[in-house]
Amino acid sequence: MSDKKLKVLVKAHELNTKGSEALHAYNLLLELSNLVELTVIHSEGNQFGDVSYRFDKSQFHENTQFYSMPYETFAKPIIFINKRFRFLNRSIGFAPIYFLALRFWEYSTYKFIKSLNVNFDIIHSLNHISYREPGYLYRLKGQHKYIHGPISGFYNVPYSMFKTFNWMNLFRTYFNSLKISKRLKDCLAGAACYLFVNEYDRIIDTNSMQFPDVGINKVNKSIPYVNSKDVSKLDIVVIGRVEVLKGSDILIDTFTNNVVLQEKFRVHFFGHIDESVRNALPFCKFHGHVTNSDIQSHLQKSHLLIHLSLKEATSLSIVEALNNQCNVVCHAGFGIDSYLNDNICTIPLVSHNYSVLILTKFLSDYRYRFFNNDSINRLDYKILALKLHNLYVSNT
């Protein structure tokens, strides 16, 4: 086989050193840049137009090329309107408007790549929004081998998980019932391979491979496998936005009026916090938005991550916690089942009250003890990049 590197183009809408999805793409492509001749196309900023994606390109292999794609002018009014609906969902706003703006970006990106007139060995759409917006790069499959994904998100959250009616979950369930759009069918049918996160995300059996949507940098691990953390008072970490789909109301109902738990734990929140939540949890410490390195440092000192999200695949914060000898309690499913070990307690998605009951019992009985387990080593970004490279080679 020739030693010449493959010429690969990867489209990653979100690419940054902040935010789980954007950071995952950054870390994965950083390692991949050492294995292939890499061209990266990413969005100029986030979906609300109020964060620009800036990162140190010198960290990548010197031959890596970057193209920062802005949203076209006619999409700006759509983004402006969607920003006014941010209160509905802090990650996407009002879903129909969000996906409309995203589709415009995907199409302009497709036209730009087509205009490059470069022969790539592989074009990979590293989808940041699972299967709901497949983009248009599959139309180039006649000129280049095409890889799509990983995709995820087909899991339906039971309505019993919500205390009151949640129209966003109804919207999500409806789209899941459609299962697959015509564009996604065309996309996967023409792909040399598509990647899926969980078995229930596998749409067709052929030309597919399981691939995670999170990873870890093992070099960041700076503490040995010894139970050396201070256990005089136990530290809990909660990472991410505080909202219903993140299970925040479960956490609030668990700790509110439970003096025993309030005295047993120090609870640290990282991420956006509404004032109402601050008022509901006066005994907690709120750190706001911090860097990933700050979170890593705090995880090294902490004992337990509580991650009660109802809708994610495997969260980056979960594997980062395990990598820093921090136990985890989370809801079952979404890919975490693959990494079950004695350091993780999973709560079945049954109902809101059931989760409160199980979490309360778990925290009441909790004692810190971390068991050496290598199950997350396969999420090392160096290993993931090599797995991706091997896939590319096998399809050229």
Side-chain angles (χ1 to χ4, degrees):
M1 185 177 68
S2 172
D3 293 332
K4 185 179 179 181
K5 289 185 176 181
L6 293 178
K7 185 177 290 188
V8 175
L9 180 143
V10 175
K11 181 212 71 184
H13 179 276
E14 297 188 33
L15 185 68
N16 201 16
T17 55
K18 293 182 181 180
S20 295
E21 291 163 337
L23 181 62
H24 171 63
Y26 177 89
N27 287 329
L28 180 61
L29 297 182
L30 182 64
E31 295 296 339
L32 187 64
S33 71
N34 296 313
L35 303 175
V36 301
E37 187 178 326
L38 184 62
T39 298
V40 179
I41 292 185
H42 64 91
S43 175
E44 187 178 68
N46 73 334
Q47 56 269 32
F48 296 113
D50 52 10
V51 175
S52 295
Y53 291 158
R54 301 287 183 266
F55 49 89
D56 187 1
K57 295 180 175 62
S58 68
Q59 298 296 312
F60 290 75
H61 190 279
E62 59 184 3
N63 291 332
T64 306
Q65 293 189 59
F66 294 90
Y67 293 97
S68 177
M69 292 291 298
Y71 278 81
E72 292 193 15
T73 304
F74 58 79
K76 299 291 178 67
I78 302 173
I79 295 173
F80 178 82
I81 295 171
N82 190 39
K83 195 173 180 179
R84 299 302 177 268
F85 289 92
R86 198 169 189 167
F87 67 93
L88 294 174
N89 186 311
R90 294 195 175 275
S91 59
I92 64 174
F94 184 47
I97 301 177
Y98 166 73
F99 285 113
L100 178 61
L102 180 61
R103 180 174 293 195
F104 283 130
W105 183 86
E106 291 283 359
Y107 189 70
S108 62
T109 300
Y110 157 72
K111 290 192 299 181
F112 174 76
I113 294 173
K114 191 174 181 180
S115 71
L116 290 177
N117 198 26
V118 177
N119 289 323
F120 295 100
D121 296 305
I122 293 286
I123 286 183
H124 182 180
S125 181
L126 188 68
N127 243 6
H128 75 294
I129 198 67
S130 67
Y131 68 94
R132 301 183 195 280
E133 179 44 63
Y136 296 88
L137 300 193
Y138 66 90
R139 294 183 178 181
L140 300 170
K141 61 183 180 291
Q143 305 163 251
H144 322 270
K145 291 295 180 68
Y146 178 67
I147 305 293
H148 187 81
I151 61 175
S152 66
F154 282 112
Y155 188 91
N156 287 329
V157 181
Y159 291 109
S160 55
M161 291 304 303
F162 302 95
K163 290 195 295 185
T164 58
F165 174 76
N166 185 278
W167 74 271
M168 286 294 291
N169 191 53
L170 180 65
F171 179 82
R172 179 186 180 88
T173 302
Y174 169 71
F175 271 91
N176 279 357
S177 68
L178 299 179
K179 202 68 177 176
I180 183 169
S181 69
K182 182 181 185 304
R183 268 198 305 139
L184 184 55
K185 281 183 180 178
D186 293 340
C187 169
L188 300 186
C193 182
Y194 81 90
L195 310 176
F196 61 91
V197 176
N198 305 290
E199 281 297 329
Y200 48 73
D201 298 313
R202 190 201 293 255
I203 299 171
I204 55 178
D205 293 332
T206 57
N207 305 325
S208 61
M209 182 178 80
Q210 192 164 19
F211 195 86
D213 59 354
V214 293
I216 52 172
N217 287 312
K218 294 299 289 183
V219 293
N220 287 345
K221 186 174 176 58
S222 59
I223 55 177
Y225 269 115
V226 291
N227 294 334
S228 58
K229 298 187 181 188
D230 179 17
V231 293
S232 57
K233 188 157 185 177
L234 300 169
D235 286 280
I236 286 175
V237 175
V238 183
I239 301 172
R241 299 179 306 277
V242 174
E243 59 183 50
V244 172
L245 286 176
K246 293 285 188 180
S248 304
D249 55 339
I250 296 170
L251 187 68
I252 292 172
D253 287 354
T254 299
F255 274 89
T256 300
N257 300 324
N258 193 321
V259 178
V260 174
L261 294 185
Q262 293 178 22
E263 291 180 350
K264 182 177 181 178
F265 296 100
R266 287 184 294 249
V267 183
H268 301 265
F269 278 85
F270 295 87
H272 175 85
I273 306 294
D274 289 329
E275 196 62 34
S276 60
V277 177
R278 289 178 182 271
N279 296 334
L281 300 170
F283 56 91
C284 299
K285 185 170 183 179
F286 300 96
H287 299 264
H289 290 286
V290 299
T291 65
N292 183 259
S293 60
D294 288 334
I295 291 177
Q296 295 281 340
S297 297
H298 204 92
L299 285 171
Q300 290 179 6
K301 298 179 293 183
S302 300
H303 307 89
L304 176 67
L305 170 76
I306 296 183
H307 184 82
L308 300 175
S309 178
L310 308 178
K311 66 182 182 65
E312 291 180 271
T314 310
S315 169
L316 179 61
S317 59
I318 289 177
V319 293
E320 286 183 338
L322 295 174
N323 196 41
N324 285 288
Q325 291 186 287
C326 195
N327 298 143
V328 174
V329 56
C330 62
H331 281 121
F334 315 116
I336 194 60
D337 308 71
S338 303
Y339 307 100
L340 287 179
N341 59 56
D342 293 331
N343 300 310
I344 303 177
C345 171
T346 57
I347 303 173
L349 283 165
V350 176
S351 71
H352 171 92
N353 290 337
Y354 181 81
S355 291
V356 171
L357 177 67
I358 298 302
L359 181 61
T360 301
K361 185 179 187 310
F362 171 81
L363 294 175
S364 300
D365 298 337
Y366 178 75
R367 298 293 182 272
Y368 175 72
R369 187 179 180 189
F370 196 89
F371 299 91
N372 191 349
N373 189 292
D374 296 328
S375 65
I376 64 168
N377 286 348
R378 62 184 184 273
L379 294 177
D380 186 344
Y381 279 114
K382 290 184 183 296
I383 294 176
L384 292 182
L386 183 60
K387 182 177 181 179
L388 206 53
H389 176 257
N390 291 341
L391 173 67
Y392 294 162
V393 170
S394 66
N395 281 282
T396 55

